[in-house]
Amino acid sequence: MRVVSLVPSLTEAVARSAPGLLAGATDWCTHPADLGRVRRIGGTKNPDVPAVTELRPDLVVANEEENRPADLEALRAAGLEVLVTEIRDLPQAFRELDRLLVGALGLERPGWLDRAEEAWEAVEPLGSFSACVPVWRRPWMVLGRDTFAGDLLARLGVRNAYAGHPKRYPKVPAAELEGGGCDLVVLPDEPYRFTADDGPEAFPGLPAALVSGRHLTWYGPSLVEAPRVLAAALRTALRG
């Protein structure tokens, strides 16, 4: 079987579980590090449809949030089978990974998936904290309702201040963020690359947790260590 992945998380999941299956991946697929022989087929939002078709994959792996419906329809129109995942929380991530790896690809359930479930089952909340979680700047955008990242944070004891917003990724004026009354701000390094010099200064007096975007937003092998990595970053911020 030949697989093309349009989602960095799923690229890592397939490559770690059965590396010989992966024929193509996006330019944003960075893990695992040894993807050198895999053909790059453009971005998640602008895949090179002819390049994907040329690879003659048995399956194209996509996600309803990461990829555009028009691109997926173009791939289907070219005669390719496209599996579209939907992942809004941790249990759904585990179900969809099982559906892809075991159901669609016919693999034995990988050990990393079992370890990821065990790691999250053992999580104990750090406390009860309110946070805003920007994911973009200029304009400011934050995590809203019904997001995978928000669910992970909730399991660690961090309540997303915008979890009740009608939009999943609302644009919020900077003044509203500054006066939101949160206990801390959580700043991931993707999709916008927040750093110690770019982000915390916009929230004076508020603890800023700089977290790994891969561990906060990716659903794949990174889930094994995500509870430990995220908890460490949150503890550092809360301790000041």
Side-chain angles (χ1 to χ4, degrees):
M1 176 173 281
R2 291 167 59 79
V3 177
V4 169
S5 172
L6 304 182
V7 185
S9 300
L10 301 180
T11 295
E12 184 177 16
V14 173
R16 283 282 302 275
S17 305
L21 300 185
L22 197 63
T26 75
D27 298 337
W28 298 104
C29 294
T30 57
H31 289 74
D34 55 349
L35 287 174
R37 296 184 179 181
V38 173
R39 181 170 175 182
R40 301 296 177 158
I41 47 78
T44 56
K45 306 297 184 185
N46 57 342
D48 185 336
V49 173
V52 175
T53 304
E54 187 177 301
L55 288 171
R56 297 186 178 182
D58 300 291
L59 184 68
V60 177
V61 180
N63 176 264
E64 51 90 28
E65 180 176 324
E66 290 272 358
N67 308 118
R68 301 186 309 169
D71 294 320
L72 303 183
E73 286 306 312
L75 291 167
R76 291 190 181 100
L80 301 180
E81 181 177 352
V82 180
L83 184 151
V84 182
T85 58
E86 178 184 310
I87 298 174
R88 303 294 179 89
D89 58 29
L90 185 63
Q92 191 177 31
F94 288 137
R95 291 195 300 271
E96 290 287 71
L97 287 165
D98 194 75
R99 179 169 75 100
L100 167 62
L101 299 171
V102 179
L105 300 184
L107 305 175
E108 291 188 11
R109 199 170 198 267
W112 64 259
L113 189 50
D114 292 329
R115 292 193 298 276
E117 287 193 316
E118 291 166 2
W120 281 99
E121 286 173 1
V123 163
E124 295 184 4
L126 301 176
S128 181
F129 306 98
S130 172
C132 61
V133 190
V135 293
W136 201 256
R137 188 170 189 172
R138 305 180 191 92
W140 287 101
M141 296 177 68
V142 299
L143 290 185
R145 65 170 181 84
D146 195 25
T147 66
F148 174 72
D151 184 58
L152 295 195
L153 289 172
R155 293 168 189 276
L156 292 165
V158 179
R159 179 180 62 82
N160 176 14
Y162 288 89
H165 197 282
K167 295 184 178 180
R168 297 185 65 222
Y169 299 99
K171 295 179 182 179
V172 180
E176 179 180 323
L177 288 175
E178 293 171 10
C182 295
D183 297 308
L184 75 161
V185 58
V186 178
L187 299 169
D189 61 10
E190 62 175 81
Y192 184 93
R193 187 172 180 79
F194 288 106
T195 67
D197 299 320
D198 184 358
E201 80 289 345
F203 304 90
L206 197 61
L210 294 166
V211 303
S212 161
R214 175 169 170 262
H215 292 101
L216 181 63
T217 64
W218 287 35
Y219 29 84
S222 58
L223 286 171
V224 176
E225 59 185 14
R228 174 180 57 81
V229 172
L230 294 174
L234 291 168
R235 285 194 193 98
T236 297
L238 292 168
R239 288 172 181 168

